[in-house]
Amino acid sequence: MKKIEHIGIAVKSIKDADQLFERLLGTSSYKLESVDSEHVDTSFFKIGASKIELLEATNPNSAIAKFIEKKGEGIHHIAFEVEDIHAEMERLRKEGFQLLNEQPKKGADNKLVCFVHPKSSNGVLVELCQEIR
Ligand code: ZN
């Protein structure tokens, strides 16, 4: 794995959280993007080589809505950038990690993504992401 690509934060309102994170980070969100397959709206902030991704549910069936219901707003996942997502998924499978999807799927910010079940990684939802070239 190459670096922490971003940290995903579940929020109730992107509009409110954007303002808060602008004040916190001293920089503005550079991109708003809806990911229909995940039922989320996202907002991205660049911090050096990494990013912060704010996630708001667009409907009650979204994993983000369920997360906030259970745990409240807060850190939702850590995303690691990988060179070859298929190879990395295969490596993690062999290491005994439980992947949440069989095949990589299209995520926000022009990425192929795959999630690792938090049960198999000390309670941390891990996202692998590979830039779509
Ligand atoms: Zn993410």
Side-chain angles (χ1 to χ4, degrees), residues 6 53 77 127:
H6 65 267
E53 174 187 37
H77 64 270
E127 174 185 349

Side-chain angles (χ1 to χ4, degrees), residues 20-100:
L20 186 143
F21 275 84
E22 259 177 50
R23 286 194 288 124
L24 177 72
L25 303 172
T27 185
S28 302
S29 164
Y30 70 92
K31 174 150 77 169
L32 290 170
E33 186 180 346
S34 294
V35 186
D36 293 337
S37 59
E38 300 290 320
H39 312 292
V40 291
D41 286 337
T42 66
S43 176
F44 284 89
F45 292 78
K46 204 165 245 148
I47 303 297
S50 302
K51 298 167 191 161
I52 296 291
E53 174 187 37
L54 304 180
L55 302 127
E56 176 188 340
T58 54
N59 82 45
N61 295 322
S62 158
I64 294 301
K66 287 171 189 155
F67 177 88
I68 288 178
E69 206 172 285
K70 256 173 48 188
K71 299 184 175 172
E73 296 180 296
I75 293 180
H76 178 257
H77 64 270
I78 298 180
F80 296 99
E81 185 178 323
V82 300
E83 190 63 43
D84 177 345
I85 196 164
H86 290 95
E88 206 57 38
M89 286 169 72
E90 191 50 37
R91 185 181 73 80
L92 292 180
R93 262 191 212 106
K94 283 191 184 137
E95 291 286 351
F97 291 95
Q98 188 189 337
L99 304 182
L100 282 171

Side-chain angles (χ1 to χ4, degrees), residues 1 15 18 65 67 74 77 96:
M1 296 195 192
K15 198 168 157 280
D18 256 354
F67 177 88
H77 64 270

